[in-house]
Amino acid sequence: MKRPDFLIPYEAIEFRKITFVTMKSAHFILALSILALASPFAYASDPSPLQDFCVAINDPKDGVFVNGKFCRDPKLAKADDFYYSGLNVPRNTSNPVGSTVTPVNVAQILGLNTLGISLARIDFAPNGGLNPPHTHPRATEILLVVEGTLYVGFVTSNTDNRLITKVLYPGDVFVFPQGLVHFQFNVGNTNAVAFAGLSSQNPGVITIANAVFGSNPPINPDLLVKAFQLDKNVVKNLQSNFWGPNN
């Protein structure tokens, strides 16, 4: 039988109180530590810079490593570090999907490093030029149509998977939220051109068909048969096609 508290010595009672408070404090500190460790992952993919700029360099000599790139000494920065020319030139769209993406990110403009923004020109062939369904894992995209007529859209995440679409004309703007599958399709009989702004210096792109059927090494066909409910010969045929990027 448990001994009543009034029969327990005063020192033992105080020890229990101290132990209880100490355990509660330890749990609080542990929870706070977990939140502190998790908090950086809640921010945008490109953190705000703490300096005016950080011109990227490929050679680490005399550089400082910041956000994926080494930085040149700011005193050595020049105008060409922030410059790109040629987005006025139409691109060749003679490829299987009938579109070409010309990216302007930190790989083309070294001065974009740490600035959290990039740009792309997209050219579409007439009558069905397509920028296939894809995602940008690190960026939201805002698209401006300057020529032609585009049918664009994105699909919301599970479980709704709702398709949101719009037909765009020159001067129209449309936004694709970060990470969602989206596309652009030329429904006109002339060339189409659009410019996209992206909220990352390196937004990344995952073209769905390329990733699923053109991975290296290939995904096990049995897995894709079950996932897509397709005949195995169809899956193997899709995997045997050339899945090249449109940029």
Side-chain angles (χ1 to χ4, degrees):
M1 182 175 177
K2 183 179 178 182
R3 188 179 183 183
D5 280 346
F6 66 84
L7 297 178
I8 298 175
Y10 174 79
E11 292 80 3
I13 294 173
E14 288 301 307
F15 177 77
R16 286 186 180 182
K17 288 181 179 179
I18 293 169
T19 302
F20 177 72
V21 172
T22 302
M23 289 178 66
K24 286 188 68 176
S25 300
H27 290 161
F28 174 76
I29 293 170
L30 177 61
L32 192 63
S33 300
I34 292 171
L35 287 174
L37 289 171
S39 61
F41 300 104
Y43 297 127
S45 55
D46 288 357
S48 298
L50 300 178
Q51 64 284 323
D52 289 341
F53 51 80
C54 171
V55 176
I57 55 174
N58 294 320
D59 184 359
K61 183 181 179 181
D62 298 325
V64 179
F65 191 75
V66 177
N67 198 26
K69 294 286 185 180
F70 286 93
C71 296
R72 178 178 295 146
D73 184 337
K75 296 182 179 64
L76 302 178
K78 54 188 184 300
D80 283 347
D81 293 328
F82 305 91
Y83 173 78
Y84 179 90
S85 179
L87 279 189
N88 62 317
V89 179
R91 266 48 178 186
N92 184 0
T93 56
S94 299
N95 56 54
V97 294
S99 74
T100 297
V101 178
T102 305
V104 183
N105 54 44
V106 70
Q108 288 77 36
I109 300 180
L110 299 178
L112 283 177
N113 191 43
T114 75
L115 298 186
I117 193 170
S118 59
L119 181 70
R121 172 185 171 127
I122 314 168
D123 289 87
F124 300 85
N127 302 308
L130 171 68
N131 192 12
H134 62 280
T135 72
H136 299 296
R138 294 180 291 275
T140 291
E141 175 181 344
I142 183 167
L143 185 84
L144 167 66
V145 177
V146 297
E147 183 181 333
T149 306
L150 294 179
Y151 170 67
V152 306
F154 63 85
V155 180
T156 63
S157 56
N158 297 356
T159 58
D160 289 343
N161 297 129
R162 189 159 68 98
L163 176 63
I164 297 176
T165 65
K166 187 78 174 175
V167 176
L168 304 182
Y169 303 93
D172 290 347
V173 172
F174 197 81
V175 173
F176 305 100
Q178 179 174 339
L180 296 187
V181 176
H182 60 282
F183 59 85
Q184 299 103 26
F185 184 64
N186 187 0
V187 294
N189 56 13
T190 62
N191 292 326
V193 180
F195 289 90
L198 300 117
S199 61
S200 172
Q201 68 180 45
N202 183 23
V205 60
I206 302 171
T207 304
I208 307 306
N210 295 21
V212 173
F213 296 105
S215 66
N216 183 25
I219 297 173
N220 188 321
D222 292 331
L223 187 154
L224 298 179
V225 165
K226 191 163 188 176
F228 290 93
Q229 297 295 296
L230 293 173
D231 182 86
K232 193 168 186 176
N233 290 328
V234 173
V235 169
K236 287 185 174 181
N237 181 59
L238 288 169
Q239 289 182 313
S240 67
N241 280 300
F242 175 74
W243 298 97
N246 59 333
N247 54 30

